Amino acid sequence: MKRRRFGSIVTLGKPDGRTWLEARYTPSAELRDKWGKLPKRFARRFPVGWDIQAEQWLNDEERLIRLGTWTPPSDRRKHAEADMTTFHDYAAHWIETRRKADGTPIRETTRQKYRETLANHLDPAFGNRPVTGLTTREIVKWRDSLTTNGGYGAAAIRHSVSLLKSIMNSAATQPINDRGDTLIDRNPATLRTVKPVGMHAYLIAEPEEIMLLADAMPDNLRLAVLLAGWLGLREGEVCGLQRRDIDIDGRPPTIHVRHSVKPETHEGRQTPVLGPPKTASSVRDVIIPTPLIAELERHMRVYTGNGKDGMLFTGPRTRGLLSPQSLR
């Protein structure tokens, strides 16, 4: 073993004749006070004959300690891996593991929209770049290049910017180790997202217009227009109604809004899925006006399947869930 001012280099081997060099050093009391629990010693192996490389490693470790910039080698490896993490890899993992503020997973429909925004708008600009290398200047330049004249809708631009800000905010705030270090020091996506002004004003249909529209629909969907037009149900909520949700004999007669049908993409195909309404406040009870009771009774007698789980409306071909798109 060669004596040196800092650390040591020893030759080690196994009974089968294999040998190697091991450079090692013991962390000082000052390092233990600063970093808490540390190994008894740090070591790195080198092939026999690599004496110069072993010496250089010890010299580099001593220099970091003298400069006050030393960190445990395991932390340095993690940071090196983080520096190689591409925006696409980080964003894709973020989307698949994203949860709401209450800890519940985001809906699959929301997840699918995030995937589409990542693939169509964010990956072309940042996908192959390391997360640690993105700057505010290039993000602003990217945003300025997204003009509605270039095929980007105002809503698509806003959603792209909002998703980028959320992803980078997580990179700046979520710890990557037990000490609370983050992938980046601050969020470089500081752009403001402004909701675009609507291109048209919403028109409220008059009762006579609702009846005209209902009369023009196929008979099995006539009631859907009346429920949406008179009771204010969303199209997904209309499609999600089951026999159990209709309480005609109640005092007062009531519709219980408990589900909504939304499209989910599986293997490139959209499939209607029955799930909860859009928000927690959307779960509600709606009083049925007297003129609708006869319409409901007739519809359920003719078109609704038996049993409490029977869907009020079904797809024209599949007899399964009615897609909101089909209703539109």
Side-chain angles (χ1 to χ4, degrees):
M1 179 174 67
K2 181 180 178 180
R3 296 181 61 85
R4 56 190 325 280
R5 183 180 70 246
F6 176 81
S8 60
I9 301 173
V10 297
T11 301
L12 301 176
K14 288 188 175 183
D16 61 6
R18 287 182 293 171
T19 59
W20 62 87
L21 298 179
E22 183 176 277
R24 57 175 66 161
Y25 66 93
T26 301
S28 65
E30 290 79 5
L31 291 180
R32 294 186 182 279
D33 290 340
K34 180 178 180 179
W35 294 97
K37 188 177 180 180
L38 291 175
K40 182 179 179 180
R41 65 187 176 195
F42 291 99
R44 183 173 177 181
R45 291 183 177 183
F46 297 87
V48 173
W50 286 42
D51 302 72
I52 295 176
Q53 288 83 353
E55 291 272 1
Q56 185 61 54
W57 182 73
L58 286 174
N59 291 338
D60 289 342
E61 293 296 297
E62 182 183 21
R63 179 175 56 83
L64 292 175
I65 293 173
R66 288 177 175 274
L67 292 174
T69 58
W70 182 92
T71 58
S74 59
D75 282 17
R76 279 177 258 162
R77 286 193 294 272
K78 289 181 180 179
H79 279 289
E81 293 173 0
D83 288 341
M84 296 298 292
T85 301
T86 65
F87 175 81
H88 170 80
D89 290 343
Y90 184 85
H93 181 265
W94 184 93
I95 290 172
E96 299 308 319
T97 58
R98 185 64 171 169
R99 290 180 174 271
K100 300 178 184 177
D102 61 4
T104 58
I106 60 175
R107 294 182 182 176
E108 182 58 28
T109 50
T110 302
R111 208 181 304 279
Q112 182 58 32
K113 289 179 182 177
Y114 286 166
R115 295 188 192 111
E116 292 172 358
T117 300
L118 175 63
N120 295 333
H121 305 307
L122 300 182
D123 267 352
F126 310 115
N128 294 326
R129 295 289 309 284
V131 177
T132 54
L134 297 188
T135 65
T136 299
R137 182 177 180 178
E138 66 181 311
I139 290 174
V140 171
K141 185 177 180 180
W142 161 77
R143 167 59 184 87
D144 291 343
S145 71
L146 301 181
T147 62
T148 53
N149 292 333
Y152 294 91
I157 294 175
R158 181 169 62 91
H159 292 157
S160 300
V161 171
S162 178
L163 180 60
L164 176 63
K165 289 179 65 175
S166 296
I167 292 171
M168 297 304 290
N169 185 65
S170 294
T173 58
Q174 293 183 355
I176 59 174
N177 57 32
D178 295 336
R179 291 199 314 278
D181 294 333
T182 55
L183 190 60
I184 55 178
D185 294 331
R186 64 179 185 85
N187 183 354
T190 57
L191 304 170
R192 292 184 59 192
T193 54
V194 180
K195 188 173 182 178
V197 178
M199 298 298 292
H200 61 272
Y202 289 99
L203 301 178
I204 307 300
E206 297 293 337
E208 295 80 5
E209 294 173 317
I210 294 174
M211 292 304 300
L212 285 171
L213 179 58
D215 291 340
M217 291 289 281
D219 190 59
N220 64 314
L221 296 179
R222 169 186 167 82
L223 179 65
V225 173
L226 301 179
L227 294 178
W230 286 359
L231 306 186
L233 271 62
R234 298 183 178 95
E235 58 186 12
E237 295 170 347
V238 170
C239 296
L241 288 173
Q242 297 174 302
R243 183 179 286 274
R244 68 169 74 240
D245 299 325
I246 311 301
D247 184 9
I248 291 178
D249 297 326
R251 295 291 182 267
T254 303
I255 290 180
H256 306 292
V257 181
R258 299 293 183 269
H259 298 96
S260 181
V261 173
K262 295 179 180 293
E264 290 188 2
T265 302
H266 298 281
E267 298 180 352
R269 296 183 60 184
Q270 282 197 343
T271 304
V273 175
L274 186 66
K278 185 175 183 179
T279 64
S281 60
S282 298
V283 177
R284 63 198 188 280
D285 294 334
V286 182
I287 296 176
I288 304 172
T290 301
L292 263 186
I293 292 178
E295 293 276 0
L296 271 165
E297 290 177 330
R298 185 187 74 85
H299 179 92
M300 289 194 294
R301 185 171 61 251
V302 177
Y303 297 110
T304 302
N306 296 324
K308 294 182 178 180
D309 294 335
M311 301 305 299
L312 205 64
F313 304 98
T314 57
R317 293 188 302 273
T318 65
R319 298 302 174 187
L321 293 176
L322 174 64
S323 166
Q325 183 176 359
S326 296
L327 179 58
R328 287 196 296 274

